[in-house]
Amino acid sequence: MEAEVLIRQSGFFISALTTLSLAIFSIEFILNYELSFFIFSFIIILYLASLYLRNRFWRKVWKRDRKALFRYSNIIIWILGIALLAVFIYFGNSQNIVYHLSHYALNSYLIIMAAIWTVYSALELYMVNQISSVTRYKNANYLTITAIVLVDLSFLLMNHFVYILPIALLLLSVSTVFSGIRLKEIY
């Protein structure tokens, strides 16, 4: 039974590790202007693993509950997750010169990624609330909503305060862990 619970939560925990890796990656970039493609490829592998495991979990929820919400959300999250990665890779490949992180504030590709990610995260938070106690985890909901808003704001305010992105990603990592913890109590 514990193995099943761990598998259920693993997609969220790996996603938190991915987000934490991105936060560290962005701090290193701010301090040194250096990009490591090895670390970047590691982050992509973690992201794909977390996306697959989360998709598998939501598909299992749909098969158990048979609610159309979970079926369509499962498909939408998978599509948005892949779209987010595709835009990110396209954006990365289009960069011939690496600038300071503040240069990328209001970048159209990053705004598209933020929009995709916001819908993805809001939908997943809604689904977590459908299968987990809302009142018991009210503070976790506030944490997740704050993380979503702060990540979106980071692309607007990055040219004034460059550390807002790593802070937002760290907060997002913590909120993703709480989403995984919430799932321990269901089914």
Side-chain angles (χ1 to χ4, degrees), residues 100-108 110-111 154-160:
H100 188 266
L101 193 59
S102 63
H103 173 79
Y104 298 105
L106 296 175
N107 182 288
S108 59
L110 296 179
I111 291 173
S154 69
F155 294 112
L156 300 173
L157 303 174
M158 206 167 15
N159 54 347
H160 300 296

Side-chain angles (χ1 to χ4, degrees), residues 16-179:
L17 182 62
T18 304
T19 307
L20 184 62
S21 299
L22 281 172
I24 294 168
F25 187 72
S26 64
I27 290 171
E28 293 247 343
F29 182 70
I30 292 167
L31 297 176
N32 302 325
Y33 297 99
E34 294 179 359
L35 295 174
S36 168
F37 289 108
F38 174 75
I39 294 172
F40 184 70
S41 61
F42 173 73
I43 291 171
I44 290 175
I45 291 168
L46 279 177
Y47 176 76
L48 288 172
S50 70
L51 190 62
Y52 171 76
L53 290 169
R54 287 162 92 158
N55 179 272
R56 190 171 156 205
F57 169 73
W58 289 118
R59 188 175 21 186
K60 189 173 185 177
V61 170
W62 168 69
K63 287 182 178 180
R64 187 169 224 148
D65 285 357
R66 292 289 179 197
K67 291 182 180 176
L69 164 74
F70 295 125
R71 180 178 189 174
Y72 298 128
S73 298
N74 167 40
I75 294 166
I76 291 168
I77 284 177
W78 184 252
I79 291 169
L80 290 178
I82 297 297
L84 179 65
L85 180 62
V87 172
F88 188 69
I89 289 173
Y90 183 78
F91 167 71
N93 285 336
S94 68
Q95 301 303 304
N96 296 328
I97 300 172
V98 178
Y99 297 101
H100 188 266
L101 193 59
S102 63
H103 173 79
Y104 298 105
L106 296 175
N107 182 288
S108 59
Y109 291 111
L110 296 179
I111 291 173
I112 291 169
M113 288 175 10
I116 293 170
W117 178 80
T118 300
V119 172
Y120 170 98
S121 297
L123 180 61
E124 193 160 64
L125 176 63
Y126 179 75
M127 290 186 350
V128 167
N129 283 331
Q130 293 298 303
I131 59 177
S132 178
S133 171
V134 178
T135 55
R136 185 169 176 202
Y137 293 102
K138 187 185 289 188
N139 291 335
N141 280 343
Y142 294 142
L143 179 67
T144 303
I145 291 168
T146 302
I148 291 169
V149 170
L150 197 57
V151 168
D152 288 340
L153 282 176
S154 69
F155 294 112
L156 300 173
L157 303 174
M158 206 167 15
N159 54 347
H160 300 296
F161 180 60
V162 75
Y163 286 100
I164 193 169
L165 181 62
I167 291 168
L169 291 172
L170 288 171
L171 186 62
L172 178 63
S173 183
V174 171
S175 72
T176 305
V177 167
F178 276 112
S179 291

